[in-house]
Coordinates of all heavy atoms in Angstrom, one line a residue:
E39 N -14.1 -5.0 7.2 CA -12.8 -4.5 7.1 C -11.7 -5.6 7.1 O -10.8 -5.5 6.4 CB -12.6 -3.4 8.1 CG -11.2 -2.8 7.9 CD -10.8 -1.7 9.0 OE1 -11.6 -1.2 9.6 OE2 -9.6 -1.6 9.2
L40 N -11.9 -6.5 8.0 CA -10.9 -7.6 8.2 C -10.8 -8.4 6.9 O -9.7 -8.8 6.5 CB -11.2 -8.5 9.4 CG -11.1 -7.9 10.8 CD1 -11.2 -8.9 11.8 CD2 -9.8 -7.1 10.9
E41 N -12.0 -8.7 6.3 CA -11.9 -9.5 5.0 C -11.3 -8.7 3.9 O -10.7 -9.2 3.0 CB -13.2 -10.1 4.7 CG -13.7 -11.2 5.6 CD -12.6 -12.4 5.8 OE1 -12.0 -12.7 4.8 OE2 -12.4 -12.8 6.9
R42 N -11.5 -7.4 3.9 CA -10.9 -6.5 2.9 C -9.4 -6.5 3.0 O -8.7 -6.6 2.1 CB -11.4 -5.0 3.0 CG -12.9 -4.9 2.5 CD -13.1 -3.5 2.2 NE -13.1 -2.5 3.3 CZ -14.2 -2.2 4.1 NH1 -15.3 -2.8 3.9 NH2 -14.0 -1.4 5.1
L43 N -9.0 -6.4 4.3 CA -7.5 -6.5 4.5 C -6.9 -7.9 4.1 O -5.9 -7.9 3.3 CB -7.2 -6.3 6.0 CG -7.5 -5.0 6.6 CD1 -7.2 -4.9 8.1 CD2 -6.7 -3.8 5.9
R44 N -7.7 -9.0 4.4 CA -7.2 -10.2 4.0 C -7.1 -10.3 2.4 O -6.1 -10.8 1.9 CB -8.1 -11.4 4.5 CG -7.5 -12.7 4.3 CD -8.6 -13.9 4.3 NE -9.3 -13.9 5.6 CZ -8.9 -14.6 6.6 NH1 -7.8 -15.2 6.6 NH2 -9.7 -14.6 7.7
A45 N -8.2 -9.8 1.7 CA -8.2 -9.9 0.3 C -7.0 -9.2 -0.4 O -6.3 -9.7 -1.2 CB -9.5 -9.3 -0.3
V46 N -6.7 -8.0 0.2 CA -5.5 -7.2 -0.4 C -4.2 -8.0 -0.1 O -3.3 -8.1 -0.9 CB -5.5 -5.8 0.2 CG1 -4.2 -5.1 -0.2 CG2 -6.7 -5.1 -0.4
L47 N -4.1 -8.5 1.2 CA -2.9 -9.2 1.6 C -2.6 -10.5 0.7 O -1.5 -10.7 0.3 CB -2.9 -9.6 3.1 CG -2.8 -8.4 4.0 CD1 -3.2 -8.8 5.5 CD2 -1.4 -7.8 4.0
V48 N -3.7 -11.2 0.5 CA -3.6 -12.4 -0.4 C -3.3 -12.0 -1.8 O -2.4 -12.6 -2.5 CB -5.0 -13.2 -0.4 CG1 -5.0 -14.3 -1.5 CG2 -5.1 -13.9 1.0
E49 N -3.9 -10.9 -2.3 CA -3.6 -10.4 -3.7 C -2.2 -10.1 -3.8 O -1.5 -10.3 -4.9 CB -4.5 -9.2 -3.9 CG -4.4 -8.5 -5.3 CD -5.2 -7.2 -5.4 OE1 -6.2 -7.1 -4.6 OE2 -4.7 -6.3 -6.1
F50 N -1.5 -9.6 -2.8 CA -0.1 -9.2 -2.8 C 0.8 -10.2 -2.3 O 2.0 -10.0 -2.0 CB 0.1 -7.9 -2.1 CG -0.4 -6.7 -2.9 CD1 -1.6 -6.1 -2.7 CD2 0.5 -6.1 -3.9 CE1 -2.1 -5.1 -3.5 CE2 0.0 -5.0 -4.6 CZ -1.2 -4.5 -4.4
E51 N 0.3 -11.5 -2.2 CA 1.1 -12.7 -1.9 C 1.8 -12.6 -0.5 O 2.9 -13.1 -0.3 CB 2.1 -12.9 -3.0 CG 1.4 -13.2 -4.3 CD 2.2 -14.1 -5.3 OE1 2.6 -15.2 -4.8 OE2 2.4 -13.7 -6.5
F52 N 1.1 -12.1 0.5 CA 1.5 -12.3 1.8 C 0.9 -13.7 2.2 O -0.3 -13.8 2.5 CB 1.0 -11.2 2.8 CG 1.6 -9.9 2.6 CD1 1.2 -9.0 1.7 CD2 2.8 -9.6 3.4 CE1 1.8 -7.7 1.6 CE2 3.4 -8.4 3.2 CZ 3.0 -7.5 2.3
L53 N 1.8 -14.7 2.1 CA 1.3 -16.1 2.1 C 0.5 -16.4 3.4 O -0.5 -17.2 3.3 CB 2.4 -17.1 2.0 CG 3.3 -17.0 0.7 CD1 4.2 -18.1 0.7 CD2 2.3 -17.1 -0.5
R54 N 0.8 -15.9 4.5 CA 0.2 -16.3 5.8 C -1.2 -15.6 5.9 O -1.9 -16.0 6.7 CB 1.0 -15.9 7.0 CG 2.3 -16.7 7.2 CD 3.3 -16.1 8.2 NE 2.7 -16.2 9.5 CZ 3.3 -15.6 10.6 NH1 4.4 -14.9 10.4 NH2 2.8 -15.7 11.8
A55 N -1.6 -14.7 5.0 CA -2.8 -14.0 5.1 C -4.0 -15.0 4.9 O -5.1 -14.9 5.5 CB -2.9 -12.9 4.2
R56 N -3.8 -16.0 4.0 CA -4.9 -16.9 3.6 C -5.4 -17.6 4.9 O -6.6 -17.8 5.0 CB -4.4 -18.0 2.7 CG -4.5 -17.7 1.3 CD -3.9 -18.8 0.4 NE -3.0 -18.2 -0.6 CZ -3.4 -17.7 -1.7 NH1 -4.7 -17.7 -2.1 NH2 -2.5 -17.1 -2.6
G57 N -4.5 -18.1 5.7 CA -4.9 -18.9 6.9 C -4.9 -18.1 8.2 O -5.1 -18.6 9.3
A58 N -4.8 -16.7 8.1 CA -4.7 -15.9 9.3 C -6.1 -15.9 10.0 O -7.1 -15.9 9.4 CB -4.3 -14.5 8.9
T59 N -6.0 -16.1 11.3 CA -7.3 -16.0 12.1 C -7.8 -14.6 12.2 O -7.1 -13.6 11.9 CB -7.0 -16.5 13.5 OG1 -6.1 -15.6 14.1 CG2 -6.4 -17.9 13.5
D60 N -9.1 -14.5 12.6 CA -9.7 -13.2 12.8 C -8.9 -12.4 13.8 O -8.7 -11.1 13.7 CB -11.1 -13.2 13.2 CG -12.0 -13.6 12.0 OD1 -11.5 -13.7 10.9 OD2 -13.2 -13.7 12.3
A61 N -8.3 -13.1 14.8 CA -7.6 -12.4 15.8 C -6.3 -11.8 15.3 O -5.8 -10.7 15.5 CB -7.3 -13.3 17.0
E62 N -5.6 -12.6 14.3 CA -4.4 -12.1 13.7 C -4.7 -11.0 12.8 O -3.9 -10.0 12.8 CB -3.7 -13.3 13.0 CG -3.1 -14.3 13.9 CD -2.6 -15.5 13.1 OE1 -3.2 -16.0 12.2 OE2 -1.5 -16.1 13.5
L63 N -5.8 -11.1 12.1 CA -6.1 -10.0 11.2 C -6.5 -8.7 12.0 O -6.1 -7.6 11.6 CB -7.3 -10.3 10.2 CG -6.9 -11.3 9.1 CD1 -8.2 -11.8 8.4 CD2 -6.0 -10.5 8.1
G64 N -7.1 -8.9 13.1 CA -7.5 -7.8 14.0 C -6.3 -7.1 14.6 O -6.2 -5.9 14.6
A65 N -5.3 -8.0 14.9 CA -4.0 -7.4 15.4 C -3.3 -6.6 14.3 O -2.7 -5.6 14.6 CB -3.1 -8.6 15.9
F66 N -3.4 -7.1 13.1 CA -2.8 -6.4 12.0 C -3.6 -5.0 11.7 O -2.9 -4.0 11.5 CB -2.9 -7.2 10.7 CG -2.3 -6.5 9.5 CD1 -1.0 -6.0 9.4 CD2 -3.2 -6.2 8.4 CE1 -0.6 -5.2 8.4 CE2 -2.7 -5.4 7.4 CZ -1.4 -5.0 7.3
A67 N -4.9 -5.1 11.8 CA -5.7 -3.8 11.7 C -5.3 -2.8 12.7 O -5.1 -1.6 12.4 CB -7.2 -4.2 11.7
D68 N -5.0 -3.3 13.9 CA -4.5 -2.3 15.0 C -3.2 -1.8 14.6 O -2.9 -0.6 14.7 CB -4.5 -3.1 16.3 CG -5.8 -3.4 16.9 OD1 -6.8 -2.9 16.4 OD2 -5.9 -4.3 17.8
R69 N -2.3 -2.6 14.2 CA -1.0 -2.2 13.8 C -1.0 -1.3 12.6 O -0.1 -0.3 12.5 CB -0.2 -3.5 13.5 CG 1.4 -3.3 13.3 CD 2.0 -2.9 14.6 NE 3.2 -2.2 14.4 CZ 4.4 -2.7 14.2 NH1 4.5 -4.1 14.3 NH2 5.4 -2.0 13.9
L70 N -2.0 -1.5 11.7 CA -2.1 -0.7 10.5 C -2.5 0.8 10.8 O -2.4 1.6 10.0 CB -3.0 -1.4 9.5 CG -3.1 -0.8 8.2 CD1 -1.8 -0.9 7.4 CD2 -4.2 -1.7 7.4
V71 N -3.0 1.0 12.0 CA -3.5 2.4 12.3 C -2.3 3.4 12.2 O -2.4 4.3 11.4 CB -4.1 2.5 13.7 CG1 -4.4 3.9 14.1 CG2 -5.4 1.6 13.8
S72 N -1.2 3.0 12.8 CA 0.0 4.0 12.7 C 0.7 3.9 11.4 O 1.0 4.9 10.8 CB 1.0 3.7 13.9 OG 1.4 2.3 13.7
V73 N 0.8 2.7 10.8 CA 1.4 2.6 9.5 C 0.6 3.2 8.4 O 1.1 4.0 7.6 CB 1.7 1.1 9.1 CG1 2.3 1.0 7.7 CG2 2.6 0.4 10.1
G74 N -0.7 3.1 8.5 CA -1.6 3.7 7.5 C -1.6 5.2 7.6 O -1.6 5.9 6.6

Side-chain angles (χ1 to χ4, degrees):
E39 182 183 336
L40 291 190
E41 289 307 319
R42 289 201 292 270
L43 293 176
R44 188 198 304 275
V46 171
L47 290 167
V48 168
E49 183 187 328
F50 283 94
E51 302 209 48
F52 287 91
L53 297 184
R54 288 169 70 189
R56 267 177 233 279
T59 63
D60 282 358
E62 287 173 321
L63 284 170
F66 175 64
D68 290 346
R69 191 66 204 274
L70 189 58
V71 172
S72 59
V73 178

